[in-house]
Amino acid sequence: MKRFQLTVLAAASFAVATPAMAQSSTNVTLYGVIDAGVAYVNNVATGLNAKGAHNFQAVSGIGQGNRWGLKGTEDLGAGLKAVFVLENGFNLMNGTMLQNSRMFGRQAYVGLQSAQAGTVSIGRQYDSVVDFVSPITSAKQWATQYGAHIGDIDNLYNSFRVSNSIKYTSANYSGFSFGALYGFSNQPNTGGGTGFSNNNAFSIGAGYANGPLTAALAYMHLSSPGTTNANGAVSNDYSSATDIFYTSAVDKHDIAAAGVSYAIQAATVGFVYSYAKVNYVNQSSIRVNTFELNGKYQFTPRLLAGLAFVYSDGSVSGATALSGISKGTKPRWFQVNAGTTYSFSKRTETYLNGVYQRATGDAVVAAIDNVGGPTGTGAQSQIALIAGVRHKF
């Protein structure tokens, strides 16, 4: 990835106010991803009870989310650095900002970094499930957002971020790293609010990457996400038309995930497991265990192909709020991801991907993530095809 670096000399601006301070410099990097394609999806509807139809559409950021960002460091001496990231997400097709029209909705944080002790940062950030386990999924490697797990209920495709968060990320200790995050509700225990835990979040995770082996595990807990406290840890971007599990108010949301991958010459095989439980305020709930087996093969330095099988096993309790998703207590979904990526250079590549999803058991709706809307009731299968091009700078 080619990056443009700007050096900002801070000595001049501080010379008068703080003459005792030594000269320092801040290195700032401008970076980004531009991704667009053309997609075909069948059974696309505007709501769970609407009739679906075929849809040909120009799409933005399905292969990888469009973004531009600034990140920087300042050497403070004695192995300590100041770090920051400001990252904007946007729709390439119409120029609008994503993440509920936030200026820097993907990431926005500042912190201190030590080569020995790790990094502490504060702002809007990724959780530990995204940091550690998500990179092992096929969707994050080559299968595009269409290849995410049903409704992205495990957030392994990073459908939402955590605001008001303080985060610790360890240094790399011979391939081993770990981290934790806490997102504040920013609400007091007195007055009109329901307290400190109304829309707060926390996560913890660890990973190991050394040679051909990569392994990771993580846990995340959300309390009243995106409900009464709009200024809490997870707000506004928690639900969308394709996140079918968030159509009712959520009381608690728990996610546990683990993954492992192993490279054998040009081939890499991976396995990911996730457990997600959503408790709704009306006392209903759903649990989903998802199993993904994925593989990819680097045929040439330019050509990569991948294949993945995903099975999601659900269990519903008090299904009043889930009548558009399941007709009983045992909804299940089966999904196949297949795709290829061809690299013209280190910065520019094209991709062709296909996803097939089938609702089985008591599930009444298939809903490939971010295809424009969930399928109508009774449409238990869905196919999505996309051809796209991506440039990184």
Side-chain angles (χ1 to χ4, degrees):
M1 180 180 295
K2 186 176 180 181
R3 295 175 178 175
F4 302 93
Q5 292 194 337
L6 307 173
T7 301
V8 182
L9 296 179
S13 61
F14 288 118
V16 176
T18 54
M21 288 187 179
Q23 290 187 358
S24 63
S25 64
T26 299
N27 295 314
V28 181
T29 301
L30 170 67
Y31 67 95
V33 175
I34 304 174
D35 180 290
V38 177
Y40 162 81
V41 187
N42 70 344
N43 294 328
V44 176
T46 57
L48 287 173
N49 296 312
K51 183 179 179 180
H54 302 288
N55 192 12
F56 291 90
Q57 55 186 321
V59 292
S60 168
I62 300 299
Q64 192 172 352
N66 284 308
R67 73 201 68 175
W68 70 269
L70 298 169
K71 63 181 180 179
T73 63
E74 181 188 14
D75 190 346
L76 303 176
L80 188 65
K81 293 181 179 180
V83 297
F84 75 88
V85 170
L86 298 172
E87 188 172 280
N88 170 270
F90 63 92
N91 186 321
L92 187 67
M93 295 303 164
N94 56 28
T96 58
M97 292 187 291
L98 298 180
Q99 291 81 46
N100 203 45
S101 299
R102 292 178 170 92
M103 174 64 76
F104 296 111
R106 291 186 59 89
Q107 299 183 87
Y109 65 82
V110 65
L112 295 174
Q113 181 181 82
S114 165
Q116 293 77 32
T119 304
V120 176
S121 53
I122 188 166
R124 179 171 167 86
Q125 304 176 85
Y126 297 164
D127 63 81
S128 300
V129 173
V130 172
D131 284 341
F132 292 99
V133 184
S134 176
I136 304 176
T137 64
S138 59
K140 278 297 186 177
Q141 294 182 74
W142 51 264
T144 77
Q145 185 171 355
Y146 289 167
H149 300 165
I150 179 72
D152 200 28
I153 192 172
D154 50 20
N155 201 40
L156 283 171
Y157 199 80
N158 200 16
S159 290
F160 55 85
R161 282 80 172 165
V162 183
S163 300
N164 312 328
S165 64
I166 184 167
K167 181 177 180 178
Y168 170 74
T169 305
S170 77
N172 189 313
Y173 302 107
S174 300
F176 177 75
S177 60
F178 56 92
L181 171 145
Y182 184 85
F184 291 85
S185 69
N186 277 7
Q187 191 171 75
N189 282 319
T190 59
T194 58
F196 188 78
S197 63
N198 184 30
N199 198 352
N200 67 353
F202 64 85
S203 66
I204 187 169
Y208 178 81
N210 198 353
L213 177 64
T214 299
L217 72 165
Y219 170 77
M220 184 178 190
H221 173 78
L222 308 176
S223 177
S224 301
T227 54
T228 59
N229 179 12
N231 297 315
V234 180
S235 303
N236 300 323
D237 56 355
Y238 179 67
S239 62
S240 73
T242 55
D243 293 327
I244 59 175
F245 302 109
Y246 308 145
T247 55
S248 298
V250 176
D251 180 40
K252 307 290 183 185
H253 189 170
D254 290 278
I255 301 168
V260 61
S261 69
Y262 193 83
I264 307 172
Q265 296 181 346
T268 302
V269 178
F271 176 78
V272 177
Y273 166 76
S274 70
Y275 168 85
K277 182 178 181 181
V278 178
N279 292 317
Y280 301 92
V281 296
N282 63 3
Q283 307 304 310
S284 63
S285 66
I286 185 168
R287 298 189 301 272
V288 180
N289 291 279
T290 298
F291 308 85
E292 177 183 326
L293 178 64
N294 63 60
K296 61 183 180 181
Y297 191 85
Q298 195 77 48
F299 285 96
T300 71
R302 294 180 180 269
L303 179 63
L304 178 146
L307 183 65
F309 301 94
V310 183
Y311 176 70
S312 297
D313 183 18
S315 177
V316 173
S317 174
T320 302
L322 303 171
S323 58
I325 301 169
S326 178
K327 62 184 178 182
T329 61
K330 294 294 182 183
R332 299 182 179 92
W333 294 268
F334 177 72
Q335 182 171 306
V336 180
N337 303 333
T340 61
T341 301
Y342 182 82
S343 300
F344 294 103
S345 68
K346 291 183 178 181
R347 294 185 290 149
T348 303
E349 58 192 16
T350 185
Y351 56 87
L352 176 65
N353 286 78
V355 176
Y356 170 78
Q357 187 185 106
R358 178 74 181 178
T360 65
D362 292 328
V364 298
V365 60
I368 294 173
D369 203 51
N370 201 27
V371 294
T375 61
T377 299
Q380 292 184 289
S381 65
Q382 192 169 44
I383 296 173
L385 303 172
I386 182 172
V389 62
R390 175 168 53 242
H391 179 79
K392 303 176 183 179
F393 63 90

